[in-house]
Each structure stands twice: as C-alpha cells, then as structure tokens.
Amino acid sequence: MAAPAVEATVATALRSVILRARKAAEQVGRDPERVRVLAVSKTKPVSLIRQIYDAGHRCFGENYVQEIIDKAPQLPEDIEWHFVGHLQSNKAKTLLTGVPNLAMVHGVDGEKVANHLDRAVSTLGRHPLKVLVQVNTSGEVSKSGIEPSSVVELARHVKQHCPNLVFSGLMTIGMPDYTSTPENFRTLSNCRADVCKALGMAEDRFELSMGMSGDFELAIEMGSTNVRVGSTIFGPREYPKKAT
C-alpha cells in the first residue's frame, strides 16, 4: 500500500501534467480536449493507480501484458486502458481476454500482430478495437516499429483486411533512450500526411501517439493527440532486482 503522502504527491503531479498539456495545446491554437494524457503506470501498484482514478482521471497506459491483465480486474471497469508496449502476436488473445475494457493498442508493427488482434476480437465477440501503427522514427534497430516507407502499406492492410480493428493513427517511441527530437515528431507527422492522402482519411481526426515525460509539451505542439506520461506523474520506475 502506498503511503498517503506519496498518493497526494501523485495526484498533484497529475494535475500539473494536465495543466501543462492544456497550455501546450493552447499555445499553438489546438483544442486541449483533443489531447489525451495517458498515465503510464508500469511497475506501479494498484493503490497508486486508484489514487489517480479517484482524482478523476480515466486514461491509463501499461507496457507489459502480464502486468495489465493482473491490474485491470482490480480496478473500476470505466478505466480506458491503452496498451503502449511491444505486443507479441501470440499474446494478443491473452491481452484482450484479460482486459475487456482495453480501448487501444498503440504498438501494431506488422501484419502478423494485426491479424492476431483481428482474430482475437472476432473470437471474443467484443466491439472493434482501435489500433495505432508503430513507426520507427529514429532508425535504431533496437526499437520496434516499421520503417516510415512501409507505413502506408501496413495501415492499408489494417484498414482493408482487419474488419475487427479500427485503424486510428500512428505511434512512435523516439530515440533509444526513450527521448525524442523534433525530427522524430516531424517524421511521424509526415507519415500521417502520407497515410491520410493514400487512404482518404482526415488529418484532424487522425491520432498521433508521441511524447513522454521529458518531451510531451513539444509533442503536443507538433500535433500529438496522445502523450504517454509515466515518471513525471508516478515518480521513478521501481524495477525488481535481478537475482545474482
């Protein structure tokens, strides 16, 4: 159980992030309501997530399948869960079965995982699932995501051949240290323009998931509709120590 002082700090941090996000949107003439702040709670206890929920927030992100399927049943059903980590195709059905209120998967990086998600949605009889195609904007081989030159092809596959998925936009992580640069964000924006032109989609209804704790304001100024903020809200990650 988290200490009350920690919980109060988390709620205060959330309010600060939301205000900063609104200000960033307003500075460039964007509607703040079009920017979703995802509280990314990986490695954090259910008690802290509940504190954020009790403060009125409903949008949460998790990176690991096992973690989200452990946490989701312990929390209210009106939470809007986003899976923001790398998803292996063989975990697609496990994820959807364990989290009935999953709203969006941000990391579709190939036809195989898209097809597995599509079949899982059909098998479970749940409503269509929103997905974002993940783009490798840094060119680093260590990062998941497809090359910008392949984005239109994968987006078209999801839109035309996965009837149980709703292709909703694009996502990027950025650099190897999980920071991003204006070039990363610009690349994703350019990919959005290419996809919208090729598939006849309106750019103003197209989702971009980019920006984390260190750069979410810049990401919003450059068009992000989803910012994934973890440590600025919850504090540093506390990973289990490996046995020696």
Side-chain angles (χ1 to χ4, degrees):
M1 180 73 69
V6 174
E7 294 185 343
T9 301
V10 167
T12 300
L14 169 71
R15 286 192 288 272
S16 174
V17 166
I18 290 173
L19 286 173
R20 288 168 61 190
R22 293 186 68 88
K23 184 177 180 181
E26 289 168 351
Q27 282 182 333
V28 291
R30 294 186 59 203
D31 179 2
E33 298 302 320
R34 285 279 294 137
V35 178
R36 182 184 292 113
V37 174
L38 296 177
V40 180
S41 47
K42 68 177 180 182
T43 79
K44 297 302 179 181
V46 167
S47 58
L48 278 187
I49 300 172
R50 184 67 200 226
Q51 184 70 13
I52 296 290
Y53 176 91
D54 289 343
H57 201 63
R58 294 294 180 270
C59 300
F60 292 86
E62 285 285 348
N63 290 66
Y64 305 114
V65 171
Q66 190 57 51
E67 197 169 350
I68 192 172
I69 65 175
D70 286 344
K71 291 176 178 177
Q74 302 178 59
L75 290 157
E77 293 181 358
D78 65 335
I79 283 180
E80 182 182 302
W81 287 107
H82 291 242
F83 188 77
V84 300
H86 176 65
L87 179 63
Q88 296 174 299
S89 56
N90 63 350
K91 297 288 182 65
K93 189 174 181 180
T94 301
L95 174 63
L96 293 181
T97 302
V99 191
N101 49 332
L102 184 69
M104 186 183 289
V105 170
H106 287 231
V108 172
D109 60 0
E111 291 185 7
K112 184 177 180 182
V113 70
N115 293 342
H116 277 252
L117 282 168
D118 184 64
R119 284 196 295 269
V121 173
S122 177
T123 300
L124 295 170
R126 60 157 282 163
H127 56 82
L129 175 69
K130 292 182 179 180
V131 298
L132 305 180
V133 164
Q134 183 174 347
V135 185
N136 183 338
T137 57
S138 67
E140 297 287 339
V141 294
S142 62
K143 280 282 169 281
S144 299
I146 60 169
E147 295 300 312
S149 60
S150 301
V151 170
V152 170
E153 183 182 358
L154 180 54
R156 181 178 284 115
H157 174 82
V158 174
K159 198 166 174 59
Q160 295 182 354
H161 300 288
C162 299
N164 301 292
L165 303 182
V166 180
F167 171 69
S168 301
L170 305 174
M171 174 265 211
T172 193
I173 289 177
M175 303 304 287
D177 61 355
Y178 289 87
T179 61
S180 292
T181 67
E183 287 73 27
N184 296 137
F185 297 152
R186 198 167 292 116
T187 296
L188 202 68
S189 294
N190 290 340
C191 288
R192 171 181 61 185
D194 292 343
V195 170
C196 287
K197 182 178 180 181
L199 301 184
M201 299 178 69
E203 285 196 30
D204 62 348
R205 305 311 301 172
F206 194 95
E207 300 267 10
L208 289 183
S209 175
M210 60 185 192
M212 293 187 262
S213 285
D215 50 31
F216 70 88
E217 287 155 307
L218 174 62
I220 291 169
E221 290 171 8
M222 296 185 71
S224 181
T225 62
N226 295 268
V227 290
R228 310 180 303 271
V229 183
S231 57
T232 299
I233 296 173
F234 290 99
R237 303 294 179 204
E238 298 168 3
Y239 294 99
K241 293 181 179 179
K242 293 182 179 180
T244 55

